Amino acid sequence: MARTLLYLVRHGEQDGTRPTADGGLSSLGREQADRLGRRLAAVSFSQIHHSPLVRAAQTTDVLTHHLPQVPRHPCDFVADRTPVPSAARRDQYPDRWLSWLDGVPGEERDKDAAALQGAVQHFGVTSEVDRCELLVTHNFVIGWFVRHVLQTPVWRWIGLDSANCGLTIVTWESDQSPQVVAFNDTGHL
């Protein structure tokens, strides 16, 4: 029986004084990442996959001080995305969310969650050996993974908020359905 454990982490707090959408971490964000790194130091990760955005890369920089032997790389599968329904699937979302979704910037839009579904298909599989991987990503990506594992309606990712450097763990085992082990655990903060 092979098992895949995915540790999903939202990046540390972004520096609110920077005017760009891809700003780096605040001093609190670096402290959050350091506390998380101390918590994860004893976990045997095979890889760290991080979003290409600066705040996720900087979070990973801090984490790797505690995980120096773990290879890391930027990964488009965990890039910042917002699932938005196509015209044919708008009826799958409550009306109260549609105007907000219509306002999502073009570079963040993931039509019918195609990219996020690809991420789940890529990471949410078992292989011949056990895997334990760390994904440093964004709130909606984590929400999508949890929504998928819990098999809830497509729009339920919306209410699943993760704190900065909150820890979510999901698992896939070859002989059973995937499970949420922990959601938004902030005990280290």
Side-chain angles (χ1 to χ4, degrees), residues 15-176:
D15 183 354
T17 63
R18 298 187 63 178
T20 66
D22 190 16
L25 296 180
S26 68
S27 59
L28 175 59
R30 286 187 290 282
E31 176 64 25
Q32 291 167 334
D34 184 64
R35 288 173 181 248
L36 177 63
R38 283 185 264 149
R39 179 174 181 181
L40 298 178
V43 179
S44 297
F45 293 110
S46 58
Q47 293 188 66
I48 302 172
H49 312 270
H50 67 84
S51 164
L53 293 180
V54 172
R55 58 193 178 269
Q58 288 181 352
T59 300
T60 304
D61 290 342
V62 176
L63 292 173
T64 56
H65 289 297
H66 301 280
L67 303 163
Q69 303 303 319
V70 183
R72 64 176 276 190
H73 67 98
C75 178
D76 284 334
F77 280 116
V78 295
D80 195 8
R81 305 188 193 290
T82 304
V84 294
S86 63
R89 296 190 175 167
R90 288 176 69 86
D91 63 338
Q92 295 178 353
Y93 281 73
D95 289 341
R96 68 181 181 273
W97 295 110
L98 294 176
S99 64
W100 177 77
L101 289 165
D102 290 342
V104 171
E107 65 274 8
E108 292 176 22
R109 297 175 77 79
D110 183 10
K111 191 174 182 180
D112 293 334
L116 288 170
Q117 290 178 42
V120 169
Q121 290 170 358
H122 177 77
F123 289 112
V125 295
T126 58
S127 60
E128 298 294 317
V129 296
D130 289 350
R131 287 181 20 241
C132 183
E133 298 181 1
L134 176 59
L135 284 61
V136 181
T137 186
H138 305 275
N139 188 44
F140 296 159
V141 176
I142 295 167
W144 186 265
F145 268 85
V146 171
R147 182 226 61 83
H148 173 84
V149 169
L150 295 177
Q151 300 178 6
T152 64
V154 294
W155 64 273
R156 292 302 296 178
W157 60 268
I158 292 173
L160 297 172
D161 291 328
S162 293
N164 293 110
C165 286
L167 177 61
T168 295
I169 304 171
V170 293
T171 184
W172 277 260
E173 294 190 34
S174 54
D175 64 343
Q176 58 184 299

